[in-house]
Amino acid sequence: MYAFEIERPKSLADAVAAIGAEEAQFLGGGQTLIPTLKQRLAAPSKLVSLSGIAELKGLRMDDAGRVCIGGGTTHATVAREAAAHYPALAALAAHIGDPAVRNRGTIGGSLANNDPSACYPAAVLASNATIVTSNREIAADDYFEGMFTTALEDGEIVTEVRFPIPQAANYQKFAQPASRFALVGVFVAKYADGVRVAITGASEQGVFRWSEAEAALSKSFDAAAIKGLAADADGLIGDMHGTPAYRAHLIGVLTGRAVTAAAG
Amino acid sequence: MRHVGDPIAAVVAETYEAARDAAEAVVLDIDELPAVIDMKKAVAPDAPLVHEDIGSNLCYDWGFVEENKAAVDAAFEKADHVTTLELVNNRLIPNAMEPRVAVGDYARATGDHTLYTTSQNPHVIRLLMGAFVLGIPEHKLRVVAPDVGGGFGSKIFHYAEEAFVTFAAKALNRPVKWTCQRSESFVSDAHGRDHVTKIQLALDKDGHFQALRTETYANMGAYLSTFAPSVPTWLHGTLMAGNYRTPLIYVNVKAVFTNTVPVDAYRGAGRPEATYQLERVIDKAAREMGIDPLEIRRKNFVTEFPYQTPVAVVYDTGDYNATMDKLVEIADLAGFEARRAESAKNGLLRGLGVNCYIEACGIAPSHLVGQLGARAGLYESATVRVNATGSISVMTGSHSHGQGHETSFAQVVADMIGIPEDMVEIVHGDTANSPMGMGTYGSRSLAVGGSAMVKATEKIIAKARKIAAHLLEASDADIELKDGKFSVAGTDKSVDWAGVTLAAYVPHNYPLEDLEPGLEEISFYDPSNFTYPAGAYACEVEVDPETGRVRIDRFAAADDFGNIVNPMIVTGQVHGGIGQGVGQALLEGAVYDDNGQLLSGSYMDYAMPRADDLPNYVVDHSCQTPCTHNPLGVKGCGEAGAIGSPPAVVNAVIDALNRGGHKVAHIDMPLSPARVWAAMQG
C-alpha cells in the first residue's frame, strides 16, 4: 500500500464534500479496493470511508412496495433482512463470497465497481431496479455501461437501490472453480408485465439481458419455452475456465434451471 | 531473465514499505525476448534457447533400462492387444500455508552466520549454501528451521533469497529479513509435475501385461532446481512396474528447459506421475478389452516377494490382493449399482474409478543413490540424550513441518524404554542441536529417521542395562527392562529408570573402570532398500451432464503402510494427501501464455481444493505387511494419498461418461467442468 489519508464522514453531505480532492476515492466495504491498494495497483491520495454513514444502511419498504436497500448495506444484512420480502435476492446475497466478504462488502460498492462476474448486477438488471445516487435516480437499463463501467460520475455515491418485487424469481450461479465468482450467473425475474433475464459472468461487456429468452419466457414461464434457444457466444469471455461456447451453453442451462426453480 | 519471477536485484531497507518503494524505483531496462513454454516446441530445431551456452533446450534424454529396449519393442510386435494413451500430468503450484521466509544474522565478534529459514532440511541448506554458494564453513554457519507451516517438497530446495539475506546480514552487520508474498510464491517456489507422456501397454488376449513403454517430456523450467533431475528419472522410471508383473519395461524421459518457474519435487515427486499414467493406461486397456478393471489388476499383481522388477528396484514385501479385498469392502463396491441408479434418477451420471499404487519411500540407500548419480547420502541421524532425572531429548535430523514427529517419534522412544511419552522431547530444525541429517521428504522420516532413533535408543538401553546390573549386583544378561524398570530375572530386585539415569550422571556407585559416565548416544541409519507402501483406492463421482461439473461423492483408500506407530497421524496424512490429489485431478493447474506470463498467478485463477470440494473419506490401514529391512517395520505414509488419488478420480469420471453413453477415452487434468463438457461434445 502507498500512504493515503482517510476521512470517515458521518453524513452523506460530508462524504460528498470530502471527496473534492483530485485523487480521492470512496471506500465502501473495501472488498475490491483494499486488495487493489495492497497490490499497489492504485494510489489514491485520500480515501473517504462510507462505513460510518448511518443513512446509507439498512432495508425499508417504500410506498410502491419496493424493497429499498441502502448503498452501504452489507451482503449479510441483505441475506438476513430481504428474505421475507424478496427471497431470490436474499439467496443471491447469501452466496456472495464467504462470511468475511458478506460482512464487509456492500451492495453499493458492488454496483459501483460493476465487476463482470459479480452477482448483484444480475439481480439489479433483472429486477429493473432503480439506482438512487447522491445526485439522481438511474434505471438499471441505463446504469451498467460495460465491464467495470457504470453511469456513475465522479463523486457520485450509490445511496439506495430500489427493487420492485417480482411474482417469481431465482438466481443460478455456476461458480468459477478458483475465485468462485460467477463463471455464469443467471437471474430470472417474472413481473406482471413480463419476464426479465439478466446474465453476469459471461460477457466481455459485463451484465446483459438475454432478450430472446425474455420474449419466450414472457409467453410461457416454463423451462421448455427456451429449449433449443441458444445464447450467442459472440462477445462472451473465453479464458482458462471456459470458452465462449461453454459460457453460452451454461447460459441456456442455468436459465432453464432458474425458471424451473422460480416456477416451482 | 529466464522466467517471470527470476530474481535479478535485491533491495534492503529499514522498513517493509521503504523496501517496496525502493524496489519500484529500480529501473529495469529489459528487452523482451522470444519465450518458449511448450516442451515439444522447446526441443524443435528453431526454438528460442533458454540457455544460449548449452545450445539446446534438451537437458537430458534418458532411456531406462536401455538394454531392455529391443526386447520391449519385440514384445509389442507380437502382442495380442496394445493400448496407447497420451496424457498430461498437469503443472502444480505448491501453496504451503506459510510462504517462504528467510532471516540472516551475523555476529561480527565471532564471525558466526545464522540463517533462519522455512526449510524441510536445514543441514542440506547449510551444506549447499555454505559450501557451494557463499563459501562459509559449516562451523561458522548455523541454519535454523523451526516450526514451518507446510512444505510438500517446495521447501526442500535451496533458494536465492536464503543466500542473499545471509550475505546481506554480514555486509550490513544487521539482521536482514525477507518474507515472500503469496503472489511471489506463485512465481518463485519450485512448481511440481508437468510431464507430457505417451504410454503404451502390450497385453496378451487374456489381459496379462506383456510389456510397457513410455515416452515422457519432463519440464525442468528455466533452471535445474536442487533435486529436479532425479524426479522424472529415479523417482519415476523405477516405479513403472507398479503393483504388476510386467516382464519388460522401457522408459524414456526427455527433460526440457522452458521459460517457466523451475519444477522440482512436490508431494510424491515422480511417483504420482508414474502411478497416474500406469493406472490410466490399465483402465483404458480394460475398457478396450472388456475386462473388469479390478480383474485386470488382480490377474497381473505381484504376489511373491521379494520381487525384482525390470526397473531396478526390489519390492521387499506386500499383499496387493489384501488391500484390494479391503477396498472392495470399505468402498461398498457391491452397492455401486444401486447408487448409480439413484444418481440417474436425478439426471446425474455416476462413475466408479479404482486403481492401485505403489511408491518407493524411506529414501534412500546411500550407496544405491550414489551409483545412480545422486550427490547426497540419504541416511538419517539421531542423538538420544538421557538427562540425569530420566527425561530424554532426542535430536533428530528429520524435520517436522506438520507431520507430527513430536508425537510419533516420542512414542517410539518412550515405548522402547517403557516411560511416559511426555518424558521425551523431540528436538529438530537447528543445525546447532542436531547431528548432520538429511531432513524430511519422500515419506522418509519414520522409516529412516525413526530407525536411527531406534538404533540410538538400543545403545542407550544396552548401556543403562550395564549400569542397572552394577547397581543390582547382577550380571547384565539377567537384567530385564519392563515398563521403565530394570529388574533381575527371577528376583524382586529392581531399580527404576530414573535411578539408573541419575547414577549415570552422579557416578558414585558406578563401574567407572568399564563404563564411561553419562547417557547419550548417536546413530546414523542408512537404509538397505527403499520401502514400498502400496494400496488400492476407489472414487465415486457424479457428473452433471448438462454442465460437466464433477462432484466426488465417495472416496475410499486401503493402504498398506507396514507397522503403524500413530494411527491418527497416519489417517491425517492420508486425508491431506487425497485432498491434494483431488486438487490435482479436478482443480489445480498452472497456466502460462505463450509469452511466459503465468495466467494462473493467484487464487482468483488457481483453484485450490476447499473443504466442500471433498467428500468424507473412508480410509483403512489395517492391511499391514511390515517392511523387512528397517527395525520398526514401517514404510511411510506421507505421500500415498497424493499418489493414489488422481487416477481414481479420473478413472471415475471417464467411467461415468462412458456409462452415460459418451465414448470418451481420456480427459487431461484438471477435469474442470469446461473440459468435461467439451469432451462430452466429442
Side-chain angles (χ1 to χ4, degrees):
Chain A
M1 262 186 210
Y2 299 107
F4 54 83
E5 289 175 33
I6 185 159
E7 281 196 43
R8 295 186 176 86
K10 294 282 178 215
S11 73
L12 189 57
D14 287 350
V16 171
I19 204 67
E22 190 90 329
E23 298 295 325
Q25 231 178 313
F26 291 120
L27 173 65
Q31 296 307 296
T32 301
L33 183 54
I34 296 293
T36 307
L37 295 177
K38 285 167 90 170
Q39 292 174 42
R40 295 187 158 214
L41 296 172
S45 60
K46 182 164 84 173
L47 293 182
V48 178
S49 170
L50 304 176
S51 313
I53 303 174
E55 64 197 280
L56 290 180
K57 293 184 184 178
L59 278 74
R60 67 181 179 94
M61 300 298 293
D62 72 0
D63 296 341
R66 295 181 295 187
V67 58
C68 304
I69 303 174
T73 309
T74 64
H75 312 326
T77 301
V78 175
R80 207 165 45 237
E81 297 183 11
H85 312 291
Y86 193 166
L89 179 65
L92 173 149
H95 291 93
I96 297 173
D98 55 32
V101 169
R102 292 195 287 274
N103 281 290
R104 289 296 305 173
T106 63
I107 188 168
S110 173
L111 294 177
N113 191 44
N114 193 21
D115 188 299
S117 301
C119 296
Y120 266 133
V124 168
L125 191 58
S127 305
N128 195 18
T130 300
I131 292 103
V132 184
T133 77
S134 43
N135 303 347
R136 55 186 166 141
E137 295 184 7
I138 309 172
D141 284 323
D142 300 327
Y143 178 83
F144 301 103
E145 296 188 340
M147 194 181 270
F148 297 111
T149 311
T150 69
L152 288 179
E153 290 167 2
D154 284 348
E156 197 170 7
I157 301 172
V158 175
T159 57
E160 195 171 67
V161 189
R162 296 176 184 157
F163 291 90
I165 295 175
Q167 297 165 346
N170 185 262
Y171 178 59
Q172 293 283 323
K173 172 161 70 171
F174 193 84
Q176 192 255 58
S179 69
R180 294 200 175 174
F181 275 67
L183 186 72
V184 175
V186 178
F187 201 106
V188 171
K190 178 177 186 287
Y191 290 90
D193 59 351
V195 174
R196 288 172 67 107
V197 179
I199 315 293
T200 188
S203 168
E204 289 174 347
Q205 297 306 312
V207 67
F208 68 97
R209 287 171 63 188
W210 187 17
S211 42
E212 292 89 344
E214 289 183 353
L217 291 166
S218 294
K219 283 186 198 139
S220 163
F221 194 62
D222 187 311
I226 57 159
K227 262 226 146 57
L229 207 59
D232 188 356
D234 208 32
L236 297 191
I237 297 169
D239 59 15
M240 71 180 87
H241 306 292
T243 57
Y246 180 59
R247 282 181 166 86
H249 169 75
L250 283 182
I251 289 170
V253 171
L254 298 176
T255 303
R257 288 180 181 183
V259 170
T260 301
Chain B
M1 286 179 77
R2 293 193 170 87
H3 68 88
V4 173
D6 197 358
I8 51 174
V11 169
V12 182
E14 294 284 340
T15 67
Y16 173 75
E17 293 296 332
R20 291 203 63 178
D21 287 347
E24 279 179 17
V26 175
V27 177
L28 301 176
D29 185 9
I30 293 177
D31 292 326
E32 200 173 315
L33 299 173
V36 64
I37 307 305
D38 180 272
M39 286 190 277
K40 291 187 179 169
K41 285 181 187 161
V43 294
D46 54 345
L49 293 175
V50 179
H51 297 274
E52 292 280 349
D53 50 334
I54 298 174
S56 163
N57 292 322
L58 184 64
C59 175
Y60 58 75
D61 188 335
W62 182 74
F64 179 68
V65 174
E66 203 59 69
E67 302 84 73
N68 292 353
K69 187 171 188 306
V72 169
D73 290 345
F76 270 90
E77 288 295 318
K78 56 180 197 220
D80 295 325
H81 186 91
V82 173
T83 295
T84 301
L85 181 59
E86 295 188 41
L87 48 78
V88 173
N89 203 291
N90 41 328
R91 176 184 282 241
L92 303 178
I93 301 177
N95 281 299
M97 186 91 70
E98 183 191 25
R100 291 187 293 115
V101 181
V103 183
D105 197 7
Y106 181 68
R108 189 172 276 181
T110 58
D112 289 340
H113 296 265
T114 304
L115 168 67
Y116 300 85
T117 184
T118 47
S119 174
Q120 301 179 216
N121 36 216
H123 283 95
V124 175
I125 299 306
R126 187 180 66 167
L127 179 62
L128 290 175
M129 188 179 83
F132 304 126
V133 181
L134 296 177
I136 305 169
E138 283 101 321
H139 69 293
K140 288 291 171 192
L141 174 58
R142 175 183 173 196
V143 178
V144 186
D147 283 340
V148 171
F152 311 110
S154 70
K155 292 171 182 165
I156 300 173
F157 324 121
H158 179 40
Y159 289 95
E161 294 89 351
E162 295 167 325
F164 177 76
V165 297
T166 306
F167 166 83
K170 182 178 181 185
L172 300 168
N173 198 31
R174 300 274 300 269
V176 175
K177 178 178 182 178
W178 169 83
T179 304
C180 195
Q181 290 192 305
R182 183 63 66 185
S183 51
E184 284 180 280
S185 293
F186 271 79
V187 293
S188 66
D189 293 5
H191 291 177
R193 319 279 191 255
D194 204 350
H195 288 191
V196 175
T197 293
K198 177 181 177 183
I199 182 168
Q200 293 184 293
L201 179 63
L203 306 97
D204 73 9
K205 62 181 174 19
D206 300 319
H208 295 108
F209 304 162
Q210 304 295 301
L212 183 75
R213 66 184 170 200
T214 74
E215 183 185 34
T216 287
Y217 288 81
N219 205 332
M220 296 286 105
Y223 301 97
L224 291 181
S225 176
T226 309
F227 285 175
S230 68
V231 173
T233 50
W234 302 111
L235 291 171
H236 163 257
T238 52
L239 271 298
M240 285 313 307
N243 310 56
Y244 312 104
R245 282 185 322 266
T246 310
L248 290 162
I249 298 176
Y250 177 74
V251 176
N252 176 262
V253 178
K254 295 174 178 70
V256 181
F257 289 116
T258 60
N259 294 108
T260 61
V261 174
V263 180
D264 206 328
Y266 174 70
R267 201 171 193 171
R271 291 152 291 173
E273 295 90 323
T275 302
Y276 180 67
Q277 56 183 288
L278 181 61
E279 294 294 331
R280 283 290 302 123
V281 80
I282 291 171
D283 231 56
K284 184 162 186 259
R287 193 172 301 285
E288 287 172 355
M289 298 179 75
I291 304 175
D292 177 78
L294 272 71
E295 186 52 37
I296 198 170
R297 288 175 168 87
R298 284 188 191 272
K299 71 168 61 178
N300 288 285
F301 275 158
V302 173
T303 53
E304 288 175 22
F305 297 88
Y307 175 72
Q308 170 68 61
T309 72
V311 278
V313 294
V314 179
Y315 301 161
D316 61 338
T317 182
D319 187 344
Y320 309 142
N321 276 307
T323 43
M324 186 62 95
D325 291 345
K326 179 57 73 176
L327 182 77
V328 170
E329 173 198 328
I330 64 173
D332 182 28
L333 297 190
F336 171 77
E337 197 46 49
R339 293 190 292 272
R340 194 193 65 76
E342 193 61 31
S343 298
K345 275 191 214 158
N346 299 321
L348 299 169
L349 309 177
R350 181 175 288 261
L352 169 67
V354 171
N355 64 274
C356 299
Y357 77 90
I358 188 165
E359 49 173 334
C361 297
I363 292 173
S366 293
H367 68 91
L368 179 59
V369 299
Q371 285 169 21
L372 300 179
R375 296 189 179 177
L378 286 162
Y379 58 85
E380 196 46 84
S381 65
T383 294
V384 175
R385 176 179 297 159
V386 182
N387 302 308
T389 62
S391 68
I392 298 177
S393 304
V394 179
M395 276 63 75
T396 170
S398 297
H399 187 273
S400 185
H401 38 279
Q403 293 85 350
H405 294 173
E406 297 85 346
T407 304
S408 47
F409 285 9
Q411 278 181 259
V412 169
V413 175
D415 283 358
M416 287 178 71
I417 299 169
I419 55 175
E421 285 143 29
D422 62 7
M423 288 178 67
V424 182
E425 183 77 5
I426 303 299
V427 179
H428 71 95
D430 187 344
T431 60
N433 291 335
S434 298
M436 173 79 179
M438 294 304 292
T440 288
Y441 38 83
S443 306
R444 70 190 302 270
S445 295
L446 190 60
V448 189
S451 295
M453 234 170 277
V454 169
K455 296 284 186 189
T457 306
E458 283 172 350
K459 292 183 194 176
I460 292 284
I461 291 171
K463 185 170 178 182
R465 188 188 301 277
K466 287 186 176 144
I467 300 169
H470 178 86
L471 295 173
L472 296 169
E473 298 175 332
S475 153
D476 31 302
D478 294 333
I479 300 294
E480 291 174 346
L481 170 61
K482 189 161 185 275
D483 298 334
K485 185 181 278 189
F486 293 94
S487 51
V488 181
T491 75
D492 60 357
K493 286 185 5 180
S494 69
V495 56
D496 67 12
W497 173 248
V500 171
T501 61
L502 191 65
Y505 290 97
V506 187
H508 296 168
N509 176 17
Y510 195 89
L512 285 167
E513 59 282 7
D514 299 323
L515 211 56
E516 294 175 5
L519 201 49
E520 174 164 331
E521 298 288 350
I522 185 168
S523 269
F524 289 79
Y525 176 80
D526 206 298
S528 59
N529 191 357
F530 294 92
T531 63
Y532 300 94
Y537 283 21
C539 177
E540 277 182 39
V541 298
E542 284 184 328
V543 179
D544 179 343
E546 288 188 322
T547 65
R549 179 149 189 227
V550 175
R551 188 183 74 86
I552 298 182
D553 186 51
R554 299 164 67 89
F555 201 105
D559 292 294
D560 176 358
F561 296 131
N563 291 336
I564 285 176
V565 170
N566 188 308
M568 192 185 286
I569 286 176
V570 170
T571 299
Q573 283 280 19
V574 176
H575 282 191
I578 295 171
Q580 273 175 303
V582 168
Q584 172 166 26
L586 294 185
L587 295 161
E588 298 182 51
V591 180
Y592 278 93
D593 73 8
D594 290 341
N595 295 320
Q597 290 290 346
L598 182 64
L599 299 178
S600 58
S602 79
Y603 294 139
M604 290 298 283
D605 287 303
Y606 188 86
M608 293 294 286
R610 294 157 160 97
D612 65 354
D613 292 314
L614 303 166
N616 285 323
Y617 313 122
V618 181
V619 304
D620 181 284
H621 14 81
S622 63
C623 297
Q624 297 175 5
T625 58
C627 170
T628 59
H629 57 80
N630 67 44
L632 288 165
V634 297
K635 297 184 176 181
C637 66
E639 298 162 295
I643 294 169
S645 55
V649 175
V650 177
N651 288 348
V653 173
I654 299 301
D655 184 60
L657 297 183
N658 278 276
R659 285 176 194 271
H662 301 276
K663 297 292 171 210
V664 174
H666 180 69
I667 307 173
D668 276 324
M669 302 185 289
L671 271 59
S672 64
R675 285 187 178 185
V676 173
W677 179 78
M680 285 191 293
Q681 309 315 304

mmCIF file of all heavy atoms in Angstrom, chain B residues 221-239:
data_model
loop_
_atom_site.group_PDB
_atom_site.id
_atom_site.type_symbol
_atom_site.label_atom_id
_atom_site.label_comp_id
_atom_site.label_asym_id
_atom_site.label_seq_id
_atom_site.Cartn_x
_atom_site.Cartn_y
_atom_site.Cartn_z
ATOM 1 N N GLY B 221 11.608 -26.358 -16.230
ATOM 2 C CA GLY B 221 11.567 -24.913 -16.041
ATOM 3 C C GLY B 221 12.843 -24.293 -16.583
ATOM 4 O O GLY B 221 13.526 -24.885 -17.426
ATOM 5 N N ALA B 222 13.168 -23.112 -16.098
ATOM 6 C CA ALA B 222 14.287 -22.357 -16.665
ATOM 7 C C ALA B 222 15.637 -22.754 -16.081
ATOM 8 O O ALA B 222 16.678 -22.481 -16.677
ATOM 9 C CB ALA B 222 14.042 -20.862 -16.458
ATOM 10 N N TYR B 223 15.625 -23.344 -14.906
ATOM 11 C CA TYR B 223 16.885 -23.783 -14.266
ATOM 12 C C TYR B 223 16.658 -25.142 -13.628
ATOM 13 O O TYR B 223 15.524 -25.503 -13.328
ATOM 14 C CB TYR B 223 17.293 -22.802 -13.147
ATOM 15 C CG TYR B 223 17.503 -21.387 -13.582
ATOM 16 C CD1 TYR B 223 16.472 -20.454 -13.433
ATOM 17 C CD2 TYR B 223 18.708 -20.968 -14.138
ATOM 18 C CE1 TYR B 223 16.646 -19.138 -13.834
ATOM 19 C CE2 TYR B 223 18.893 -19.644 -14.530
ATOM 20 C CZ TYR B 223 17.855 -18.743 -14.381
ATOM 21 O OH TYR B 223 18.034 -17.440 -14.776
ATOM 22 N N LEU B 224 17.750 -25.854 -13.344
ATOM 23 C CA LEU B 224 17.630 -27.101 -12.588
ATOM 24 C C LEU B 224 17.577 -26.759 -11.109
ATOM 25 O O LEU B 224 18.541 -26.287 -10.535
ATOM 26 C CB LEU B 224 18.831 -28.008 -12.854
ATOM 27 C CG LEU B 224 18.919 -28.595 -14.264
ATOM 28 C CD1 LEU B 224 20.141 -29.494 -14.374
ATOM 29 C CD2 LEU B 224 17.656 -29.370 -14.610
ATOM 30 N N SER B 225 16.437 -27.020 -10.496
ATOM 31 C CA SER B 225 16.318 -26.864 -9.050
ATOM 32 C C SER B 225 17.035 -28.044 -8.371
ATOM 33 O O SER B 225 17.481 -28.980 -9.025
ATOM 34 C CB SER B 225 14.832 -26.798 -8.674
ATOM 35 O OG SER B 225 14.663 -26.741 -7.286
ATOM 36 N N THR B 226 17.121 -27.991 -7.037
ATOM 37 C CA THR B 226 18.009 -28.888 -6.290
ATOM 38 C C THR B 226 17.896 -30.367 -6.666
ATOM 39 O O THR B 226 18.885 -31.020 -6.947
ATOM 40 C CB THR B 226 17.736 -28.722 -4.778
ATOM 41 O OG1 THR B 226 17.795 -27.331 -4.457
ATOM 42 C CG2 THR B 226 18.751 -29.480 -3.952
ATOM 43 N N PHE B 227 16.688 -30.913 -6.647
ATOM 44 C CA PHE B 227 16.510 -32.346 -6.909
ATOM 45 C C PHE B 227 15.858 -32.621 -8.263
ATOM 46 O O PHE B 227 15.529 -33.760 -8.574
ATOM 47 C CB PHE B 227 15.620 -32.986 -5.815
ATOM 48 C CG PHE B 227 16.295 -33.203 -4.491
ATOM 49 C CD1 PHE B 227 15.575 -33.663 -3.404
ATOM 50 C CD2 PHE B 227 17.656 -32.977 -4.321
ATOM 51 C CE1 PHE B 227 16.183 -33.875 -2.169
ATOM 52 C CE2 PHE B 227 18.269 -33.179 -3.097
ATOM 53 C CZ PHE B 227 17.534 -33.624 -2.014
ATOM 54 N N ALA B 228 15.657 -31.564 -9.060
ATOM 55 C CA ALA B 228 14.820 -31.670 -10.255
ATOM 56 C C ALA B 228 15.174 -32.833 -11.182
ATOM 57 O O ALA B 228 14.289 -33.576 -11.598
ATOM 58 C CB ALA B 228 14.839 -30.352 -11.017
ATOM 59 N N PRO B 229 16.456 -33.042 -11.510
ATOM 60 C CA PRO B 229 16.737 -34.094 -12.498
ATOM 61 C C PRO B 229 16.367 -35.496 -12.018
ATOM 62 O O PRO B 229 16.107 -36.381 -12.827
ATOM 63 C CB PRO B 229 18.259 -33.979 -12.715
ATOM 64 C CG PRO B 229 18.622 -32.615 -12.234
ATOM 65 C CD PRO B 229 17.663 -32.307 -11.121
ATOM 66 N N SER B 230 16.335 -35.700 -10.686
ATOM 67 C CA SER B 230 16.051 -37.045 -10.181
ATOM 68 C C SER B 230 14.571 -37.378 -10.215
ATOM 69 O O SER B 230 14.195 -38.553 -10.165
ATOM 70 C CB SER B 230 16.571 -37.186 -8.741
ATOM 71 O OG SER B 230 15.816 -36.376 -7.867
ATOM 72 N N VAL B 231 13.719 -36.351 -10.297
ATOM 73 C CA VAL B 231 12.276 -36.613 -10.179
ATOM 74 C C VAL B 231 11.732 -37.426 -11.363
ATOM 75 O O VAL B 231 11.103 -38.471 -11.154
ATOM 76 C CB VAL B 231 11.493 -35.300 -9.954
ATOM 77 C CG1 VAL B 231 9.986 -35.547 -9.996
ATOM 78 C CG2 VAL B 231 11.896 -34.669 -8.623
ATOM 79 N N PRO B 232 11.994 -37.009 -12.616
ATOM 80 C CA PRO B 232 11.433 -37.807 -13.717
ATOM 81 C C PRO B 232 12.233 -39.076 -14.009
ATOM 82 O O PRO B 232 11.822 -39.887 -14.829
ATOM 83 C CB PRO B 232 11.516 -36.864 -14.923
ATOM 84 C CG PRO B 232 12.046 -35.579 -14.426
ATOM 85 C CD PRO B 232 12.664 -35.805 -13.095
ATOM 86 N N THR B 233 13.381 -39.229 -13.362
ATOM 87 C CA THR B 233 14.220 -40.396 -13.634
ATOM 88 C C THR B 233 14.070 -41.426 -12.518
ATOM 89 O O THR B 233 13.208 -42.287 -12.564
ATOM 90 C CB THR B 233 15.689 -39.953 -13.803
ATOM 91 O OG1 THR B 233 16.056 -39.109 -12.698
ATOM 92 C CG2 THR B 233 15.869 -39.169 -15.088
ATOM 93 N N TRP B 234 14.887 -41.284 -11.474
ATOM 94 C CA TRP B 234 14.953 -42.338 -10.457
ATOM 95 C C TRP B 234 13.748 -42.390 -9.546
ATOM 96 O O TRP B 234 13.517 -43.401 -8.889
ATOM 97 C CB TRP B 234 16.239 -42.167 -9.642
ATOM 98 C CG TRP B 234 17.432 -42.212 -10.533
ATOM 99 C CD1 TRP B 234 18.276 -41.190 -10.850
ATOM 100 C CD2 TRP B 234 17.876 -43.334 -11.302
ATOM 101 N NE1 TRP B 234 19.212 -41.594 -11.754
ATOM 102 C CE2 TRP B 234 18.998 -42.911 -12.047
ATOM 103 C CE3 TRP B 234 17.439 -44.654 -11.434
ATOM 104 C CZ2 TRP B 234 19.685 -43.752 -12.909
ATOM 105 C CZ3 TRP B 234 18.124 -45.487 -12.296
ATOM 106 C CH2 TRP B 234 19.233 -45.042 -13.023
ATOM 107 N N LEU B 235 12.985 -41.330 -9.474
ATOM 108 C CA LEU B 235 11.769 -41.387 -8.658
ATOM 109 C C LEU B 235 10.541 -41.708 -9.504
ATOM 110 O O LEU B 235 9.428 -41.770 -8.980
ATOM 111 C CB LEU B 235 11.560 -40.051 -7.926
ATOM 112 C CG LEU B 235 12.594 -39.756 -6.831
ATOM 113 C CD1 LEU B 235 12.450 -38.338 -6.315
ATOM 114 C CD2 LEU B 235 12.458 -40.752 -5.688
ATOM 115 N N HIS B 236 10.758 -41.924 -10.784
ATOM 116 C CA HIS B 236 9.642 -42.108 -11.712
ATOM 117 C C HIS B 236 9.824 -43.391 -12.529
ATOM 118 O O HIS B 236 8.979 -44.293 -12.486
ATOM 119 C CB HIS B 236 9.565 -40.848 -12.600
ATOM 120 C CG HIS B 236 8.763 -40.979 -13.842
ATOM 121 N ND1 HIS B 236 9.324 -41.130 -15.083
ATOM 122 C CD2 HIS B 236 7.433 -40.981 -14.048
ATOM 123 C CE1 HIS B 236 8.376 -41.223 -16.001
ATOM 124 N NE2 HIS B 236 7.227 -41.132 -15.388
ATOM 125 N N GLY B 237 10.970 -43.495 -13.205
ATOM 126 C CA GLY B 237 11.212 -44.679 -14.035
ATOM 127 C C GLY B 237 11.221 -45.971 -13.228
ATOM 128 O O GLY B 237 10.722 -47.015 -13.681
ATOM 129 N N THR B 238 11.738 -45.899 -12.020
ATOM 130 C CA THR B 238 11.847 -47.102 -11.190
ATOM 131 C C THR B 238 10.509 -47.566 -10.647
ATOM 132 O O THR B 238 10.424 -48.650 -10.067
ATOM 133 C CB THR B 238 12.770 -46.826 -9.983
ATOM 134 O OG1 THR B 238 12.306 -45.640 -9.331
ATOM 135 C CG2 THR B 238 14.208 -46.623 -10.412
ATOM 136 N N LEU B 239 9.467 -46.751 -10.788
ATOM 137 C CA LEU B 239 8.149 -47.121 -10.262
ATOM 138 C C LEU B 239 7.204 -47.615 -11.344
ATOM 139 O O LEU B 239 6.036 -47.898 -11.061
ATOM 140 C CB LEU B 239 7.523 -45.912 -9.544
ATOM 141 C CG LEU B 239 7.851 -45.765 -8.062
ATOM 142 C CD1 LEU B 239 7.330 -46.973 -7.284
ATOM 143 C CD2 LEU B 239 9.327 -45.602 -7.799
#
